[in-house]
């Protein structure tokens, strides 16, 4: 009985979130629904939650809740999509994604793959020489992300030694 009610509640919350139109007045409600859906690990909600994360004009606290929810649900496709948001998001979002993915070895592999792929890209660009200022900005962003990953991993390592 309890499992059935649990499933019904998560389904109800998902349907409720689907019907809401974003406005700043509803931001606390939307954020709370996203958090609850993440805690309930409602897999049907991942594409909707990803949509909230993808919209830069939405309140940052909602987008941060979306990161946490997608991480809690933990489906591989959602973790992969978090990695893709690294290049196209502002600092607060990148930092939250990095810290969520730095939680365990499997997720750290995603960060490793990101760094390796982008280092390969940077090396190719350096061989070409004379690339545009837009490409230079992309390279700088990749370097900042790599530095953030390094900081997050060092933080995780320090926490594990403190225990």
């Amino acid at each position: 009985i309890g499992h059935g009610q649990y499933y019904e509640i998560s389904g109800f919350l998902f349907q409720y979130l689907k019907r809401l139109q974003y406005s700043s007045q509803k931001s606390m409600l939307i954020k709370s629904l996203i958090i609850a859906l993440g805690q309930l690990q409602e897999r049907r909600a991942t594409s909707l939650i990803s949509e909230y994360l993808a919209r830069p004009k939405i309140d940052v606290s909602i987008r941060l809740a979306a990161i946490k929810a997608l991480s809690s649900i933990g489906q591989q496709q959602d973790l992969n999509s978090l990695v893709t948001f690294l290049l196209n998001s502002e600092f607060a979002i990148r930092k939250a994604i990095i810290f969520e993915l730095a939680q365990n070895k499997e997720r750290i592999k995603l960060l490793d793959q990101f760094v390796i792929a982008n280092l390969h890209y940077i090396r190719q660009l350096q061989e070409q020489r004379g690339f545009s200022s837009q490409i230079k900005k992309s390279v700088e962003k990749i370097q900042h992300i790599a530095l953030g990953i390094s900081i997050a991993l060092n933080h995780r390592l320090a926490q594990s030694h403190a225990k």
Side-chain angles (χ1 to χ4, degrees):
I1 294 174
H3 181 69
Q5 289 176 336
Y6 177 82
Y7 185 76
E8 287 175 25
I9 290 170
S10 65
F12 170 77
L13 295 176
F14 170 56
Q15 292 302 322
Y16 190 58
L17 182 61
K18 271 176 61 172
R19 290 186 184 110
L20 283 176
Q21 292 291 321
Y22 175 78
S23 71
S24 58
Q25 294 84 10
K26 296 177 190 171
S27 65
M28 282 300 292
L29 174 60
I30 291 169
K31 177 183 167 185
S32 298
L33 288 168
I34 289 172
I35 290 169
L37 289 166
Q39 290 173 343
L40 294 169
Q41 296 185 337
E42 177 57 63
R43 292 183 174 178
R44 294 175 293 175
T46 58
S47 62
L48 182 58
I49 293 170
S50 292
E51 288 176 28
Y52 278 101
L53 176 57
R55 294 168 52 192
K57 295 189 190 256
I58 288 193
D59 183 74
V60 172
S61 68
I62 291 174
R63 296 174 69 215
L64 293 172
I67 292 166
K68 186 75 171 163
L70 290 171
S71 176
S72 294
I73 296 168
Q75 294 185 101
Q76 190 62 43
Q77 66 198 33
D78 301 316
L79 298 175
N80 290 337
S81 72
L82 286 176
V83 173
T84 62
F85 281 111
L86 283 173
L87 282 175
N88 301 318
S89 300
E90 66 274 16
F91 175 77
I93 301 301
R94 289 193 314 257
K95 180 181 174 187
I97 291 170
I98 290 168
F99 273 87
E100 281 300 317
L101 293 177
Q103 289 183 15
N104 64 46
K105 290 179 184 179
E106 281 72 41
R107 292 177 179 203
I108 290 171
K109 287 179 187 176
L110 293 172
L111 293 173
D112 282 344
Q113 291 169 355
F114 173 85
V115 170
I116 290 167
N118 283 289
L119 284 175
H120 180 69
Y121 171 70
I122 290 171
R123 285 188 185 119
Q124 286 179 332
L125 289 174
Q126 288 174 334
E127 290 173 6
Q128 292 176 1
R129 302 195 188 275
F131 41 88
S132 71
S133 63
Q134 183 179 5
I135 292 176
K136 284 182 183 180
K137 286 180 185 179
S138 294
V139 169
E140 287 175 8
K141 186 181 272 189
I142 292 167
Q143 290 171 332
H144 287 133
I145 293 168
L147 179 60
I149 291 169
S150 175
I151 291 168
L153 293 177
N154 285 331
H155 179 70
R156 181 179 179 270
L157 185 63
Q159 284 183 328
S160 67
H161 286 300
K163 291 180 181 179

